[in-house]
Amino acid sequence: MDITAASAGPFVAGDSNPGTVRTTPGGVGRNIAHNLSLLGDEVSLVTVFGSDGFGKMLRSHCRSAGIDLSLSQTVSGARNACFVSVGGPDGELLGGVADMAVTGLMTPEWLEERIDSINGFDAVVADTNLPADTLSALVACCEPPLYIDAVSSAKASRLRQALVTRSLRSDRIFALKCNRLEAESLGLWGPDALDGAYSSRVQRLYISLGSGGVLVREDDFSEQLPSLPVTGIVNTTGAGDAMFAGIVHAGPASSATAAARFGLECARCSMLSPEAVNEDIKKLKYE
């Protein structure tokens, strides 16, 4: 759950500031699942909810969005994952606190109980909020095309264990989406890049460059696609999640470039809404 506070005037530290506070469903994996459901896909969210009010709100919202929760778990006494941010009147982030302790309950043993069901889907999407051992176990055991969102440079390090230490088929991680900093932290970009890492362990690599678009790499092919022009940007939060949802929706049969182009369309749509997920994305059709 995202709690977003914005001061109406210059922020005064150590004092109460007039402003606005909004509470909205969030989370990278949940945002991607919501976007995929709006695009018309049958979606199941596999996660852990807290038993508090936020957990109840999120479960209700997911069900209303058509997201199946039969493989998820609600843990009695646990706090639901929550992020609180404080910003100034210009939208600049002044600080925030992330309470993600509940994600640590998704252990390899927790995953093992669900992996047979997970392997029955056409595609699997994961993010690096999973503990490192669980993420490595998923990479090793996942049979459908596996898409992973790196989330942040700090959390992306949890994926390095799977990239470096495991012997993987070239298609084990079908697609990885990250930004430049996250790619560098994984050794997929820059002077410390692992030799052939993206071609031998990640089949398709999508590096988000913000306003610069997205760099697509597959085997020896690479292409940078420019971002699409947007008039009247309202909010950029969730644009990367929408882009990745578009890439997943396009499917493995689509070329990496065609999937990225549709992902950029989804990102543009996302930025036209104050919410992290724009309901209008359901109007987009992948050709």
Side-chain angles (χ1 to χ4, degrees), residues 174 204 206 216 218 221 247 250-261 286:
F174 177 73
R204 294 182 179 182
Y206 297 92
V216 182
E218 183 171 18
F221 168 83
I247 289 170
S254 300
S255 71
T257 301
R261 291 189 190 281
Y286 179 69

Side-chain angles (χ1 to χ4, degrees), residues 261-279:
R261 291 189 190 281
F262 184 65
L264 289 170
E265 287 188 47
C266 294
R268 175 167 61 178
C269 178
S270 170
M271 290 186 280
L272 299 176
S273 168
E275 308 292 340
V277 175
N278 187 350
E279 295 278 336

Side-chain angles (χ1 to χ4, degrees), residues 25-101:
V28 172
R30 195 219 64 86
N31 289 346
I32 294 172
H34 192 178
N35 278 302
L36 285 169
S37 182
L38 289 169
L39 287 168
D41 293 306
E42 182 180 346
V43 182
S44 180
L45 181 63
V46 187
T47 190
V48 168
F49 293 100
S51 61
D52 56 6
F54 285 158
K56 183 177 179 180
M57 291 168 64
L58 279 173
R59 292 194 303 274
S60 176
H61 189 277
C62 285
R63 291 191 179 103
S64 67
I67 299 171
D68 173 67
L69 299 178
S70 60
L71 295 177
S72 290
Q73 178 186 10
T74 299
V75 179
S76 177
R79 298 186 309 275
N80 201 82
C82 178
F83 176 66
V84 181
S85 64
V86 177
D90 57 356
E92 180 182 359
L93 178 66
L94 300 174
V97 176
D99 182 354
M100 304 293 291

Side-chain angles (χ1 to χ4, degrees), residues 93-180:
L93 178 66
L94 300 174
V97 176
D99 182 354
M100 304 293 291
V102 71
T103 61
L105 300 177
M106 291 185 282
T107 62
E109 293 74 23
W110 181 91
L111 173 66
E112 186 178 3
E113 295 174 359
R114 293 160 173 80
I115 193 63
D116 288 343
S117 296
I118 290 171
N119 282 337
F121 287 91
D122 295 324
V124 176
V125 185
D127 66 38
T128 56
N129 283 305
L130 285 171
D133 288 347
T134 307
L135 193 59
S136 289
L138 178 64
V139 169
C141 299
C142 186
E143 295 174 2
L146 176 60
Y147 297 76
I148 296 180
D149 192 307
V151 179
S152 69
S153 56
K155 293 179 179 178
S157 62
R158 301 176 184 180
L159 183 58
R160 178 181 282 272
Q161 177 178 329
L163 286 173
V164 176
T165 64
R166 292 196 180 262
S167 176
L168 306 176
R169 299 194 306 265
S170 62
D171 63 345
R172 179 64 77 184
I173 299 177
F174 177 73
L176 172 64
K177 177 233 160 195
C178 50
N179 61 26
R180 190 174 304 188

